[in-house]
Amino acid sequence: VLLPILFRMSETVTLVFSGGSDITTVGVVVKHAGGMHTSISSLMSSSKVMDMKKDNLNNFSRNISLKHGHYHILFCVNKSLWRTSPKHSITTLAGGQTVNYIEIPTHSAPIFSSADLESAPLLQRTSKKMKTSCCTIL
C-alpha cells in the first residue's frame, strides 16, 4: 500500500511595483502562462486588472493566491501605462513584448509504503486494513 501525503494546492505571493511620487495608482494583471496570449494586448483583454495598495514609500503591493505553475504579470500605471516591475523576473512573449513572470513550484508528494507506516504511533494494524485515529486505510 502506497500513500501520498497531500500538500497545499496554492501559495500566497506578494506582487510589488515601486514608483515615484507621480504614480497615483497601479493595477496588476496576472494570467497563467502557456495560454493563447502571445502579446500584451491579448494578455490585457483576457484578464481583470486588480488594484494594488500604496504605502508611504510609493511602493504598491498586492497579495494573491496562485496554484502551481508559471504566470505572466503586467502592471497598469496611472490607469493607462503598461509596465514591468524590476522587482520580478522578466520574460519575452512570442510577439516580442516583455512581461514579468512568477513561478509557483509544484510540490511532489512523498510516497510512503505500508512498512514505513507500521512504526507510526497513530496507526494500528487490523487484519488487512490500516487504522488511524481518524480513518481506515484499505
Side-chain angles (χ1 to χ4, degrees):
V1 176
L2 298 178
L3 304 171
I5 303 300
L6 300 177
F7 287 93
R8 291 180 304 207
M9 296 301 289
S10 64
E11 293 192 27
T12 300
V13 295
T14 302
L15 301 176
V16 177
F17 187 92
S18 298
S21 59
D22 58 327
I23 297 177
T24 56
T25 64
V26 175
V28 63
V29 169
V30 179
K31 186 74 173 175
H32 197 273
M36 296 302 292
H37 66 273
T38 57
S39 67
I40 290 176
S41 60
S42 64
L43 176 64
M44 294 181 314
S45 66
S46 65
S47 304
K48 178 185 172 192
V49 177
M50 299 176 283
D51 293 332
M52 298 181 76
K53 189 182 290 186
K54 184 177 183 178
D55 67 16
N56 294 337
L57 302 172
N58 295 319
N59 295 312
F60 293 81
S61 64
R62 180 167 183 123
N63 293 328
I64 60 172
S65 182
L66 296 172
K67 294 181 181 181
H68 68 81
H70 291 84
Y71 292 86
H72 290 157
I73 305 164
L74 199 57
F75 297 91
C76 182
V77 177
N78 291 339
K79 299 186 180 186
S80 62
L81 303 171
W82 291 94
R83 299 283 185 251
T84 57
S85 170
K87 301 283 185 180
H88 301 285
S89 299
I90 294 177
T91 189
T92 303
L93 299 176
Q97 299 97 349
T98 57
V99 295
N100 290 116
Y101 75 92
I102 190 167
E103 177 185 3
I104 306 301
T106 302
H107 299 290
S108 45
I111 304 294
F112 297 98
S113 70
S114 58
D116 294 328
L117 297 174
E118 288 196 24
S119 63
L122 297 177
L123 297 177
Q124 301 171 5
R125 173 116 8 229
T126 58
S127 66
K128 295 182 181 180
K129 300 176 183 174
M130 301 284 291
K131 185 162 180 69
T132 71
S133 60
C134 68
C135 56
T136 299
I137 303 169
L138 301 175

